[in-house]
């Protein structure tokens, strides 16, 4: 059976990563959450107070990043790639609201996108991969056999995100989460380099009223049909 590349793009907090993780597990594929790479760079910038370089000297920022390597390491137990900064696992730092607030600005910088896309394309796809993000079907893997675009109403997404954060012990309020989502949608869709778009060969899924099991069932059929080609 053919192992394929699955690109999952879509709006913020549509459950792309949770879905990608479950699909990867079901089909024994690897899962890569590309958003975590943009978050890792953002975490590095905020931690080291480098916001001024974002505005004034992106080349200097890239140099600093090259001296403080951000790496993906595959965890055999969880079957996912986790993010390391200077050899330290920073996976748990990435969903902080401060990171979420600043990440779209960082993700709009072409030089940073170029570096991260390079790393994403170097990942071995031969055993099947599910990668989620904003430009996976359009830029990273335009040859992906299956491209999905996830969306849902902003309110539904904000509610889900809010519950997730509260459950994870993060102290936030719902309206901040909703505002952050809307802001990110606008920034991600209007940036010049690799904006969030629905490519013509993508399948659009509005999951406002779908459970994760509904979605997995539907997507599994699509995967099987592509694997058998
Ligand atoms: O999926 P996420 O919310 O963790 O993504 C964080 C930010 O990174 C979001 O503002 C969009 C950006 N991003 C991107 O521009 N391209 C990707 N492939 C993945 C994420």
């Amino acid at each position: 059976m053919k192992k394929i590349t699955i690109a999952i793009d879509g709006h913020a907090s549509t459950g792309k990563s949770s879905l990608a993780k479950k699909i990867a597990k079901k089909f024994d594929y690897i899962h890569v959450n590309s958003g975590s790479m943009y978050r890792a760079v953002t975490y590095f910038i905020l931690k080291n107070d480098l916001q001024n370089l974002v505005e004034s000297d992106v080349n200097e920022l890239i140099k600093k990043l090259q001296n403080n390597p951000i790496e993906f390491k595959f965890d055999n137990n969880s079957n996912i790639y986790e993010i390391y900064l200077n050899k330290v696992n920073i996976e748990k730092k990435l969903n902080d609201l401060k990171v979420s607030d600043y990440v779209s600005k960082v993700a709009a910088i072409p030089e940073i996108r170029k570096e991260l896309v390079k790393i994403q394309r170097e990942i071995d796809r031969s055993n099947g991969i599910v990668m989620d993000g904003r430009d996976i079907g359009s830029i990273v893997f335009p040859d992906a056999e299956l491209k999905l675009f996830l969306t849902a109403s902003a309110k539904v997404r904000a509610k889900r995100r809010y519950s997730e954060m509260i459950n994870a012990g993060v102290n936030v309020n719902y309206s901040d989460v909703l505002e952050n989502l809307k802001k990110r949608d606008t920034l991600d869709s209007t940036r010049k380099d690799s904006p969030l778009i629905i490519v013509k060969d993508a399948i659009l899924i509005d999951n406002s009223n779908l459970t994760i099991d509904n979605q997995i069932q539907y997507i599994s059929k699509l995967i099987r049909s592509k694997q058998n080609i």
Side-chain angles (χ1 to χ4, degrees):
M1 203 171 287
K2 192 177 159 200
K3 297 282 191 177
I4 63 167
T5 296
I6 303 168
I8 305 186
D9 291 301
H11 290 116
S13 295
T14 39
K16 296 183 294 293
S17 283
S18 313
L19 189 61
K21 197 181 287 176
K22 287 193 185 236
I23 289 169
K25 191 159 185 222
K26 179 165 178 180
F27 287 87
D28 202 17
Y29 280 20
I30 58 164
H31 167 227
V32 177
N33 171 358
S34 66
S36 63
M37 300 178 78
Y38 292 92
R39 286 175 179 270
V41 173
T42 306
Y43 171 74
F44 172 77
I45 291 170
L46 297 178
K47 185 169 184 278
N48 295 289
D49 259 327
L50 299 175
Q51 292 92 318
N52 61 325
L53 291 185
V54 170
E55 308 291 340
S56 64
D57 194 348
V58 171
N59 289 335
E60 182 58 27
L61 179 61
I62 301 272
K63 262 191 229 154
K64 287 197 188 295
L65 279 164
Q66 283 163 347
N67 292 331
N68 294 273
I70 289 171
E71 297 165 289
F72 257 139
K73 285 194 193 153
F74 190 65
D75 183 295
N76 277 315
N77 293 323
S78 58
N79 218 30
I80 61 167
Y81 278 88
E82 296 203 329
I83 289 271
Y84 288 73
L85 170 64
N86 277 329
K87 316 273 177 213
V88 177
N89 188 320
I90 55 163
E91 202 62 35
K92 290 206 162 46
K93 314 273 188 198
L94 304 181
N95 286 313
D96 192 283
L97 203 54
K98 285 198 190 102
V99 172
S100 298
D101 255 337
Y102 200 68
V103 64
S104 289
K105 190 160 186 168
V106 173
I109 303 172
E111 292 86 345
I112 293 202
R113 301 201 69 82
K114 200 169 148 216
E115 294 289 316
L116 297 188
V117 167
K118 199 166 93 195
I119 301 174
Q120 290 154 13
R121 286 188 179 145
E122 278 165 2
I123 294 172
D124 180 14
R125 292 194 273 159
S126 57
N127 292 315
I129 188 170
V130 189
M131 191 180 285
D132 67 278
R134 302 294 191 288
D135 61 342
I136 311 305
S138 57
I139 304 285
V140 182
F141 299 137
D143 61 343
E145 286 88 348
L146 182 60
K147 299 180 185 178
L148 306 171
F149 188 100
L150 261 55
T151 191
S153 78
K155 279 188 181 159
V156 166
R157 290 186 280 135
K159 268 190 205 152
R160 287 181 192 152
R161 184 87 186 128
Y162 172 74
S163 308
E164 250 173 46
M165 293 177 88
I166 292 292
N167 289 339
V170 185
N171 187 15
V172 282
N173 68 61
Y174 170 78
S175 53
D176 286 347
V177 174
L178 180 63
E179 277 319 299
N180 172 264
L181 270 188
K182 288 184 179 167
K183 194 174 96 187
R184 279 203 288 149
D185 283 351
T186 307
L187 287 171
D188 293 342
S189 307
T190 57
R191 69 179 175 225
K192 282 209 180 77
D193 187 358
S194 322
L196 174 65
I197 51 162
I198 310 178
V199 288
K200 64 177 186 317
D201 49 346
I203 296 168
L204 178 68
I205 301 176
D206 182 330
N207 65 17
S208 303
N209 297 307
L210 295 176
T211 64
I212 189 137
D213 287 342
N214 292 152
Q215 296 171 70
I216 290 172
Q217 221 174 9
Y218 173 60
I219 296 166
S220 296
K221 275 193 202 143
L222 297 173
I223 297 173
R224 285 195 199 97
S225 71
K226 298 283 181 185
Q227 283 182 327
N228 288 326
I229 289 173

